[in-house]
């Protein structure tokens, strides 16, 4: 395994804290730093975009211990995301840490859903190692945009296209999602782009599409690179114009297309959505009927007492962090 440098002492606290609580589960990020330079990367928000060399914050075993001892972790239930905000998991110097982390989780007999997001090169040997996992439910979300402006995205989309094909040809237990993002008006929303995505969807178990996370830090970086503002406003949530969404959903009619990551992941594994989206018309109206039925059969309104119990736990942990 290539040896990564230890993370510097002045690493921002948000990155030194290797487990992040998210609406969709727990995010584990004990490797930070990435050379790919995607202009819209969320690392802009963590004051870490300038770190091009991956660094190790803690060992893989320590990271797994921290994750499984986190107050919000529940064995076999809590969704987990690995290396999804501070590095690219399939970089040559990073992927052995990815594999080791996955294997450590698997060796504990955990059946949690585990998500890995990549836009890089996946080889047949990588999949062979992933296919040996027996317990965790692994999904690889292959990010593809078709963006050709290197100031916005310097990574050739051909890498993602090839990775999808390799997953299709060699994976069985490991599920693959075409993660079509970010869709940006006037940049990669042509009929040709939509047609390419439609063709690529044939290599995936499902397709998830979404827009641009357009924060002030990302806009400032793109302006400095000479890119005209992609949208006139910044926004707390991702931006996806209604007209683009309409064209995409019409083109993908009858296909396994989803607006939310958890919905696509659940469909790929033949499970109900784990993130509480069922019944929201603006989300569910494009889902395959099979998936709607699956979610309906397992949808349960939680007892108020249980909600209060969990809310009290979250409040207690929040107060401890403030203190």
């Amino acid at each position: 395994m290539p040896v990564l440098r230890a993370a510097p002492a002045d690493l921002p606290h948000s990155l030194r804290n290797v487990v992040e609580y998210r609406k969709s589960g727990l995010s584990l990020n004990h490797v930070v730093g990435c050379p790919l330079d995607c202009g819209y990367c969320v690392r802009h928000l963590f004051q870490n975009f300038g770190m091009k060399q991956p660094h190790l914050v803690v060992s893989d075993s320590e990271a797994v211990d921290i994750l499984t001892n986190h107050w919000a972790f529940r064995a076999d239930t809590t969704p987990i995301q690995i290396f999804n905000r501070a590095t690219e998991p399939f970089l040559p110097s990073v992927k052995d840490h990815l594999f080791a982390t996955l294997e450590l989780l698997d060796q504990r007999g955990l059946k949690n859903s585990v998500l890995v997001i990549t836009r890089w090169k996946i080889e047949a040997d990588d999949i062979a190692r992933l296919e040996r996992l027996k317990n965790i439910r692994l999904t690889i979300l292959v990010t593809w945009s078709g963006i050709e402006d290197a100031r916005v995205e310097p990574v050739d989309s051909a890498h993602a296209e090839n990775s999808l094909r390799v997953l299709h040809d060699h994976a069985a237990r490991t599920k693959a999602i075409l993660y079509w993002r970010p869709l940006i008006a006037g940049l990669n929303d042509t009929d040709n782009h939509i047609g390419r995505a439609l063709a690529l969807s044939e290599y995936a178990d499902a397709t998830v599409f979404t827009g641009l996370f357009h924060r002030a830090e990302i806009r400032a970086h793109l302006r400095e690179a000479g890119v005209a503002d992609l949208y006139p406003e910044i926004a707390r949530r991702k931006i996806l114009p209604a007209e683009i969404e309409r064209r995409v959903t019409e083109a993908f009619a009858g296909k396994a297309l989803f607006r939310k990551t958890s919905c696509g992941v659940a469909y790929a594994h033949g499970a109900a959505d784990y993130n509480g989206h069922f019944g929201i018309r603006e989300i569910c109206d494009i889902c395959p009927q099979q998936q709607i039925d699956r979610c309906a059969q397992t949808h349960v309104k939680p007892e108020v007492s249980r909600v209060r119990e969990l809310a009290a736990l979250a409040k207690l942990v929040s107060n401890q962090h403030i203190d």
Side-chain angles (χ1 to χ4, degrees), residues 45 212-223 229-239:
L45 310 184
L212 176 68
F213 197 44
H214 197 226
R215 288 291 186 87
E217 297 90 339
I218 293 171
R219 182 176 65 178
H221 170 80
L222 291 172
R223 282 177 173 177
D229 286 356
L230 300 173
Y231 292 107
E233 71 279 359
I234 58 174
R236 187 178 69 85
R237 301 185 70 91
K238 295 171 185 174
I239 299 173

Side-chain angles (χ1 to χ4, degrees), residues 15-317:
L15 293 178
R16 189 161 292 283
N17 183 19
V18 300
V19 176
E20 179 188 22
Y21 178 87
R22 299 170 63 89
K23 176 177 73 73
S24 54
L26 292 176
S27 176
L28 180 62
N29 296 278
H30 59 285
V31 175
V32 300
C34 181
L36 299 187
D37 284 342
C38 299
Y40 48 78
C41 181
V42 296
R43 290 193 305 128
H44 288 294
L45 310 184
F46 303 113
Q47 299 80 51
N48 185 245
F49 191 74
M51 182 183 283
K52 306 305 180 185
Q53 180 74 28
H55 290 68
L56 192 64
V57 183
V58 298
S59 69
D60 303 319
S61 59
E62 185 178 352
V64 170
D65 284 342
I66 294 171
L67 171 68
T68 55
N69 287 301
H70 190 277
W71 69 269
F73 179 80
R74 300 293 183 272
D76 305 333
T77 300
T78 305
I80 301 166
Q81 302 162 35
I82 300 180
F83 298 158
N84 69 309
R85 71 169 188 173
T87 193
E88 159 55 52
F90 278 91
L91 289 173
S93 60
V94 177
K95 67 180 179 181
D96 282 331
H97 291 279
L98 170 68
F99 297 149
T101 302
L102 292 170
E103 288 161 359
L104 285 166
L105 290 167
D106 198 67
Q107 288 162 14
R108 297 188 181 207
L110 297 169
K111 295 179 174 58
N112 299 64
S113 177
V114 180
L115 279 58
V116 177
I117 303 170
T118 182
R119 64 176 67 251
W120 199 238
K121 306 170 187 177
I122 302 178
E123 309 292 346
D125 288 347
D126 299 329
I127 298 173
R129 187 167 177 180
L130 297 175
E131 286 287 291
R132 291 197 288 269
L133 299 170
K134 293 179 171 38
N135 297 300
I136 60 173
R137 291 180 291 127
L138 179 63
T139 308
I140 307 296
L141 296 105
V142 181
T143 297
W144 178 89
S145 70
I147 293 173
E148 296 176 352
D149 188 335
R151 299 171 302 173
V152 179
E153 184 180 303
V155 180
D156 192 335
S157 288
H159 296 323
E161 295 168 7
N162 291 334
S163 291
L164 275 171
R165 294 186 183 101
V166 172
L167 280 160
H168 178 268
D169 291 343
H170 298 279
R173 189 178 185 281
T174 305
K175 302 306 179 184
I177 301 290
L178 169 58
Y179 215 18
W180 184 10
R181 64 172 194 165
L183 264 166
I184 303 172
L187 191 61
N188 64 335
D189 62 333
T190 67
D191 290 343
N192 180 59
H193 285 97
I194 294 174
R196 288 169 64 191
L198 191 59
L200 286 172
S201 71
E202 296 299 318
Y203 296 101
D205 295 294
T207 299
V208 175
F209 73 110
T210 189
L212 176 68
F213 197 44
H214 197 226
R215 288 291 186 87
E217 297 90 339
I218 293 171
R219 182 176 65 178
H221 170 80
L222 291 172
R223 282 177 173 177
E224 187 176 344
V227 179
D229 286 356
L230 300 173
Y231 292 107
E233 71 279 359
I234 58 174
R236 187 178 69 85
R237 301 185 70 91
K238 295 171 185 174
I239 299 173
L240 182 63
E243 175 60 18
I244 297 179
E245 182 179 81
R246 181 192 64 77
R247 290 170 55 224
V248 168
T249 56
E250 287 181 357
F252 273 72
K255 300 288 186 180
L257 178 72
F258 301 90
R259 294 186 174 97
K260 295 294 184 179
T261 302
S262 62
C263 299
V265 170
Y267 175 84
H269 287 273
D273 174 46
Y274 52 80
N275 215 14
H277 294 121
F278 175 71
I280 302 175
R281 183 183 60 79
E282 294 82 1
I283 295 175
C284 300
D285 65 351
I286 63 170
C287 293
Q289 187 60 48
Q290 176 189 20
Q291 186 63 18
I292 293 174
D293 294 342
R294 185 179 290 137
C295 291
Q297 290 168 7
T298 60
H299 183 71
V300 176
K301 182 178 179 180
E303 295 290 338
V304 174
S305 60
R306 181 57 174 159
V307 174
R308 287 174 176 164
E309 177 186 340
L310 293 174
L313 175 59
K315 181 179 180 181
L316 174 64
V317 172

